[in-house]
């Protein structure tokens, strides 16, 4: 993905759930544009901002340490 745009029919934006965010992490870290009903008003987040402690390929390699 270069980016992903999410919109809803509510006045305020609704963020994706944790399961959806974790699935998106499989494709890397990329911008996510989130808006409510008025798509001219949107916010941009990097995926790792929305799920900062995602399980990634690094975890499978055993390189992540908890101090």
């Amino acid at each position: 993905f270069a980016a992903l745009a999410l919109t809803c029919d509510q006045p305020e934006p609704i963020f994706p759930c944790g399961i959806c965010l974790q699935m998106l992490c499989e494709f890397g870290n990329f911008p996510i544009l989130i808006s409510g009903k008025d798509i001219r008003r949107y916010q941009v987040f990097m995926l790792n901002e929305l799920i900062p402690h995602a399980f990634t390929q690094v975890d499978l390699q055993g390189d992540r340490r908890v101090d």
Side-chain angles (χ1 to χ4, degrees), residues 23-67:
M23 186 274 309
L24 289 170
C25 287
E26 301 285 328
F27 300 97
N29 187 36
F30 49 87
I32 298 182
L33 292 76
I34 299 176
S35 77
K37 201 172 208 174
D38 181 0
I39 61 172
R40 295 169 296 178
R41 294 181 53 224
Y42 62 90
Q43 298 172 301
V44 179
F45 299 91
M46 291 303 291
L47 181 57
N48 66 354
E49 292 179 277
L50 299 178
I51 186 165
H53 303 290
F55 185 87
T56 65
Q57 291 291 333
V58 172
D59 296 299
L60 295 175
Q61 297 166 3
D63 293 343
R64 185 183 273 186
R65 296 182 187 170
V66 177
D67 295 327

